[in-house]
């Protein structure tokens, strides 16, 4: 029985370290997944806002009721735009998307009115 003294403390410390390591790893995985979901949510919201804004702007260009710049507001944020004429049938559209939870992106597009399509899209 003399050899058993001091066995419980190292064993307890080892078990405590393993549990702490597993808990810390689980929290890290949870935070990583949460950040990923926030980025994915922002991506899809941003793309929806850009698509709706482009549809509105292309209709305005076709109907000759366009403004050179402005802001279109949505529930999740807003999209500011600038339209510059390159030549008679091509327009440069600059979109800046601001989401309500802080993400911001900028896109530059070239819209060809004769073909009624976007010929170039650059995400800045």
């Amino acid at each position: 029985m003399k050899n058993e003294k001091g066995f419980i403390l190292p064993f307890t410390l080892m078990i405590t370290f393993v549990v702490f390591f597993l808990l810390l790893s689980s929290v890290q995985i949870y935070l990583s997944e949460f950040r990923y979901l926030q980025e994915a949510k922002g991506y899809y919201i941003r793309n929806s806002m850009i698509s709706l804004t482009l549809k509105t702007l292309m209709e305005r260009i076709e109907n000759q009721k366009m403004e050179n710049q402005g802001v279109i507001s949505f529930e999740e944020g807003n999209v500011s735009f600038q339209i510059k004429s390159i030549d008679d049938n091509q327009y440069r559209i600059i979109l800046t998307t601001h989401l309500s939870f802080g993400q911001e992106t900028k896109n530059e597009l070239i819209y060809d009115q004769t073909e009624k399509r976007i010929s170039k899209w650059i995400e800045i």
Side-chain angles (χ1 to χ4, degrees), residues 53-61 72 81 83 93 95:
T53 301
L54 282 176
K55 182 178 179 185
T56 303
L57 292 177
M58 289 189 301
E59 287 173 0
R60 288 181 185 176
I61 290 171
I72 297 178
F81 63 89
I83 301 174
I93 303 171
L95 301 174

Side-chain angles (χ1 to χ4, degrees), residues 21-116:
F21 179 74
L22 290 174
L23 182 66
L24 189 63
S25 298
S26 299
V27 169
Q28 186 66 29
I29 291 169
Y30 171 77
L31 289 175
S32 176
E33 288 290 322
F34 182 76
R35 281 188 218 113
Y36 172 76
L37 288 174
Q38 289 291 25
E39 287 293 322
K41 178 182 173 184
Y43 172 79
Y44 289 118
I45 290 171
R46 184 172 47 252
N47 281 346
S48 298
M49 289 170 47
I50 288 172
S51 296
L52 291 171
T53 301
L54 282 176
K55 182 178 179 185
T56 303
L57 292 177
M58 289 189 301
E59 287 173 0
R60 288 181 185 176
I61 290 171
E62 293 300 321
N63 296 331
Q64 300 296 326
K65 296 180 180 179
M66 65 177 188
E67 304 166 2
N68 289 338
Q69 60 184 349
V71 176
I72 297 178
S73 296
F74 297 94
E75 188 175 316
E76 296 86 8
N78 58 36
V79 179
S80 58
F81 63 89
Q82 294 179 339
I83 301 174
K84 299 176 185 175
S85 179
I86 297 173
D87 59 22
D88 292 338
N89 295 323
Q90 286 192 335
Y91 297 91
R92 173 179 283 131
I93 303 171
I94 299 172
L95 301 174
T96 307
T97 309
H98 305 276
L99 295 180
S100 58
F101 46 89
Q103 294 180 349
E104 181 177 320
T105 58
K106 193 171 185 179
N107 296 300
E108 185 175 332
L109 309 132
I110 305 295
Y111 176 68
D112 192 344
Q113 189 176 9
T114 56
E115 295 180 16
K116 296 184 180 181

